[in-house]
Amino acid sequence: MLRVIEYAQRTDTGRVRPANEDSFLARTPLFAVADGMGGAQAGEVASRMAVEVLHEGLGERSGGTVAERLRDQVVEANQRIHERAQSDSRNAGMGTTLTAAYVDERHLVVVHVGDSRLYRLRGGELERLTRDHSLVEELVRQGRLTPEEAAEHPQRSIITRALGPESEVAVDSEVLRVQDRDVFMVCSDGLTAMLSDQKIGDIMTSRPDGSLEGDLPLQVYVDALVDAANDAGGRDNITVLLFRVEGDDTPGTLGGATGAGVPIGEQPTGSHPGPDAEQATAVMPVVTAADLEREAGDDAPRPRSLVELADGPDAAGGPRSPRPGQKKRRRGLRAGPFIVLFLIACVLTGGYFASQTVYFVGSYKGLVTVYRGLPYDLPAGVRLYSANYPSSVPVDEVDPRIRKRLFDHRIRSLGDANDLVSRLERGEVVKP
Ligand code: MN
């Protein structure tokens, strides 16, 4: 008999992204991480749907093996997310990864789509048990990249499989043998893009609190891992779940279980999750456009003025490119103050609101971002735009050949802008 004797988890927005689009479920015997993507809050919606659908189906059906039921739920989650994306343009192109581990009486059952990962720590050795569905992992398999190159590759966050984008999805599933005291980790790529497997293993076999002996609570390690990912830059949302399993895979025995572990008390192991389990799913903060505007502050992305767009050959510049607009603006004030004032008056009335129903693509803190409004700074510092959805794609990872057209600040509908950006996030070839 196997049982989970301890678990710990944490999710963190990281240091760059304005919102947390990861969701998780940590409720014995099921541990799952989903990493969402898509415009506005669509990524968060998708990742929450994935863990909720996975969870809700387990208690209902009795037919089939655990692996079959989990796989069915992943397929179901994919269909529901896909339908939602089709039915609402605000959610166009949304998707999510999903990696889940279920401890049954004898095995660990794993289902997996995307680049969230499952690891096992056994006897001081950390081993990765899932294979990313990502561009770089494909290239490694084809022998075109070494694992070391893949770990540093600028496009390592591009995934080739997700729940939501297509009506069908291929689900990896596996049934693994477990040994007494194995520790498993499910995590999002916000951890593994920042820390090498070597570094993660070092942390998990260290004693972060400086003590010399005895088992430390798993929470100590969860916190150390999340903190290390943030210290390394925290470029993405970070979610880490750890759980320790006791017993062995012999049916009906309780190998090593007597008195050694910390029982989970009110959650009997091996039971199916109850109907109130939503409490265990991560509740992420909702970020409004107003938050983003506030956050944009002075290091906001600075779309160029229309004049600069018309004559600037370097339309693809990132957020740190200099803005030569100041001079022109002052000249404009001297030449035609009345025209300028009239323009401001117009904009401050109806024009402003009209401008807020359109969108364009720009960059924000170095990430490809959907903006609401018009890509235009008026005199007196009036901005007609605000960051609506910063994606997970760094500007400098976009193919230079498409960068120029991507950042031409063409006016788009929200659905169009979101679709473009989320296809970039999935690594598709886009024609902006
Ligand atoms: Mn991520």
Side-chain angles (χ1 to χ4, degrees):
M1 279 288 283
L2 296 175
R3 57 186 214 133
V4 176
I5 53 168
E6 183 190 1
Y7 66 87
Q9 77 278 329
R10 183 167 150 200
T11 188
D12 190 275
T13 304
R15 297 238 165 114
V16 176
R17 307 287 302 267
N20 193 339
E21 297 190 309
D22 289 356
S23 293
F24 67 87
L25 179 74
R27 189 180 176 88
T28 301
L30 181 60
F31 299 86
V33 168
D35 176 353
M37 63 197 180
Q41 274 92 52
E44 185 198 330
V45 170
S47 67
R48 282 195 66 120
M49 284 176 76
V51 294
E52 284 172 6
V53 173
L54 181 73
H55 173 256
E56 80 190 20
L58 284 179
E60 296 166 3
R61 293 182 223 171
S62 48
T65 63
V66 173
E68 285 164 351
R69 280 153 54 207
L70 282 173
R71 222 167 27 227
D72 286 350
Q73 286 311 115
V74 178
V75 168
E76 172 75 22
N78 179 64
Q79 278 165 4
R80 285 206 224 164
I81 295 165
H82 184 67
E83 278 161 23
R84 181 114 170 220
Q86 302 289 306
S87 66
D88 183 346
S89 70
R90 285 172 304 172
N91 291 332
M94 74 175 178
T96 183
T97 72
L98 180 63
T99 300
Y102 183 102
V103 184
D104 79 2
E105 292 187 356
R106 298 179 59 192
H107 304 103
L108 188 76
V109 183
V110 183
V111 283
H112 165 66
V113 173
D115 67 351
S116 302
R117 291 179 181 174
L118 173 72
Y119 289 82
R120 179 187 61 211
L121 184 71
R122 174 183 289 175
E125 294 288 325
L126 184 73
E127 191 179 341
R128 196 202 305 180
L129 302 177
T130 48
R131 226 163 48 173
D132 294 348
H133 303 128
S134 70
L135 184 66
V136 293
E137 193 109 344
E138 299 287 344
L139 294 174
V140 169
R141 260 201 297 284
Q142 293 167 16
R144 291 162 65 186
L145 281 183
T146 66
E148 293 73 32
E149 288 167 338
E152 300 294 319
H153 198 281
Q155 287 171 320
R156 62 186 179 275
S157 64
I158 289 178
I159 59 177
T160 51
R161 249 196 247 176
L163 303 187
E166 311 285 342
S167 60
E168 292 187 356
V169 68
V171 182
D172 285 0
S173 71
E174 214 173 341
V175 178
L176 301 170
R177 299 191 64 160
V178 178
Q179 289 182 9
D180 189 40
R181 313 294 292 167
D182 279 350
V183 172
F184 295 91
M185 173 170 75
V186 191
C187 62
S188 63
D189 70 329
L191 181 77
T192 53
M194 291 293 115
L195 305 177
S196 66
D197 286 5
Q198 174 73 47
K199 176 74 183 163
I200 292 169
D202 288 349
I203 292 171
M204 290 181 72
T205 52
S206 70
R207 305 193 62 83
D209 67 343
S211 65
L212 295 177
E213 57 185 42
D215 276 347
L216 294 179
L218 290 179
Q219 193 66 50
V220 169
Y221 293 100
V222 167
D223 290 340
L225 289 165
V226 172
D227 292 346
N230 272 324
D231 289 345
R235 294 197 63 162
D236 196 2
N237 309 145
I238 308 153
T239 301
V240 178
L241 314 183
L242 289 181
F243 59 97
R244 194 193 302 274
V245 177
E246 191 180 68
D248 59 31
D249 55 8
T250 312
T253 68
L254 276 172
T258 35
V262 183
I264 297 175
E266 67 285 356
Q267 291 177 8
T269 52
S271 73
H272 293 303
D276 59 336
E278 293 96 304
Q279 289 169 350
T281 61
V283 177
M284 300 305 169
V286 173
V287 171
T288 63
D291 290 334
L292 289 172
E293 250 166 315
R294 214 177 308 123
E295 198 162 322
D298 274 346
D299 59 6
R302 340 212 128 152
R304 266 152 285 228
S305 74
L306 296 178
V307 174
E308 290 161 303
L309 285 175
D311 58 23
D314 174 36
R320 286 174 204 84
S321 54
R323 180 167 55 166
Q326 302 287 358
K327 246 183 177 171
K328 281 174 188 161
R329 183 186 299 162
R330 287 207 197 90
R331 207 185 310 139
L333 270 170
R334 278 197 302 274
F338 296 110
I339 296 172
V340 167
L341 286 173
F342 177 72
L343 196 55
I344 293 172
C346 286
V347 159
L348 288 181
T349 53
Y352 175 79
F353 295 102
S355 75
Q356 297 304 294
T357 61
V358 294
Y359 296 79
F360 65 97
V361 175
S363 64
Y364 169 77
K365 292 188 176 175
L367 299 171
V368 177
T369 295
V370 175
Y371 278 88
R372 187 172 69 167
L374 293 168
Y376 196 35
D377 280 337
L378 288 180
V382 176
R383 284 204 186 108
L384 291 181
Y385 55 87
S386 60
N388 183 259
Y389 169 69
S391 74
S392 61
V393 181
V395 169
D396 53 18
E397 288 175 18
V398 176
D399 187 327
R401 285 166 298 183
I402 69 160
R403 210 184 281 171
K404 185 169 174 179
R405 292 193 56 194
L406 181 68
F407 294 116
D408 65 1
H409 295 160
R410 186 191 316 170
I411 302 307
R412 300 170 190 275
S413 70
L414 176 59
D416 182 38
N418 279 346
D419 187 52
L420 180 60
V421 167
S422 59
R423 276 163 53 215
L424 270 177
E425 287 185 304
R426 296 199 302 276
E428 290 179 15
V429 177
V430 298
K431 293 198 190 89

Coordinates of all heavy atoms in Angstrom, one line a residue, residues 17 22 35-36 115-116 188-190 236-237 392, ligand 1:
R17 N 6.0 38.8 -14.8 CA 4.6 38.7 -15.3 C 3.7 39.5 -14.3 O 3.9 39.4 -13.1 CB 4.2 37.3 -15.4 CG 5.1 36.4 -16.2 CD 5.0 36.7 -17.7 NE 3.6 36.5 -18.2 CZ 3.2 35.4 -18.8 NH1 4.0 34.3 -18.9 NH2 2.0 35.3 -19.2
D22 N -0.8 30.2 -13.7 CA -0.6 28.8 -13.3 C -1.8 28.5 -12.4 O -2.3 29.3 -11.6 CB 0.6 28.6 -12.5 CG 1.9 28.7 -13.3 OD1 1.8 28.8 -14.5 OD2 3.0 28.5 -12.7
D35 N -0.4 25.3 -16.6 CA 0.3 26.6 -16.8 C -0.4 27.2 -18.1 O -0.3 26.7 -19.2 CB 1.8 26.3 -17.1 CG 2.5 27.5 -17.5 OD1 1.9 28.6 -17.8 OD2 3.8 27.4 -17.6
G36 N -1.2 28.2 -17.8 CA -2.1 28.7 -18.9 C -1.5 29.7 -19.7 O -0.5 30.4 -19.4
D115 N 4.8 21.4 -21.1 CA 6.1 21.5 -20.5 C 6.2 21.7 -19.0 O 7.2 22.1 -18.5 CB 7.0 22.6 -21.3 CG 6.5 24.0 -21.0 OD1 5.4 24.1 -20.4 OD2 7.2 24.9 -21.4
S116 N 5.1 21.5 -18.3 CA 5.2 21.4 -16.9 C 5.8 20.0 -16.7 O 5.7 19.1 -17.5 CB 3.8 21.5 -16.2 OG 3.2 22.8 -16.6
S188 N 5.8 24.0 -12.7 CA 5.6 24.7 -14.0 C 7.0 25.1 -14.5 O 8.0 25.1 -13.8 CB 4.7 25.9 -13.9 OG 5.2 26.9 -13.0
D189 N 7.0 25.6 -15.8 CA 8.3 25.9 -16.4 C 8.9 27.2 -15.8 O 10.1 27.5 -16.1 CB 8.2 26.0 -17.9 CG 7.4 27.2 -18.4 OD1 6.5 27.6 -17.6 OD2 7.7 27.7 -19.4
G190 N 8.1 27.9 -15.0 CA 8.7 29.1 -14.3 C 9.8 28.7 -13.4 O 10.7 29.5 -13.0
D236 N 8.8 34.0 -15.2 CA 7.5 33.4 -15.4 C 6.9 33.1 -14.1 O 7.5 33.1 -13.0 CB 7.7 32.2 -16.3 CG 6.4 31.7 -16.9 OD1 5.3 32.4 -16.7 OD2 6.4 30.7 -17.6
N237 N 5.6 32.7 -14.1 CA 4.9 32.2 -12.9 C 5.6 30.9 -12.5 O 5.9 30.1 -13.3 CB 3.4 32.0 -13.2 CG 2.7 33.1 -13.9 OD1 1.8 32.9 -14.7 ND2 3.1 34.4 -13.5
S392 N 4.0 35.5 -22.6 CA 5.2 34.9 -22.1 C 6.4 35.0 -23.1 O 7.4 34.4 -22.8 CB 4.9 33.4 -21.7 OG 4.5 32.7 -22.9
Ligands
MN1 MN 5.0 29.1 -17.6

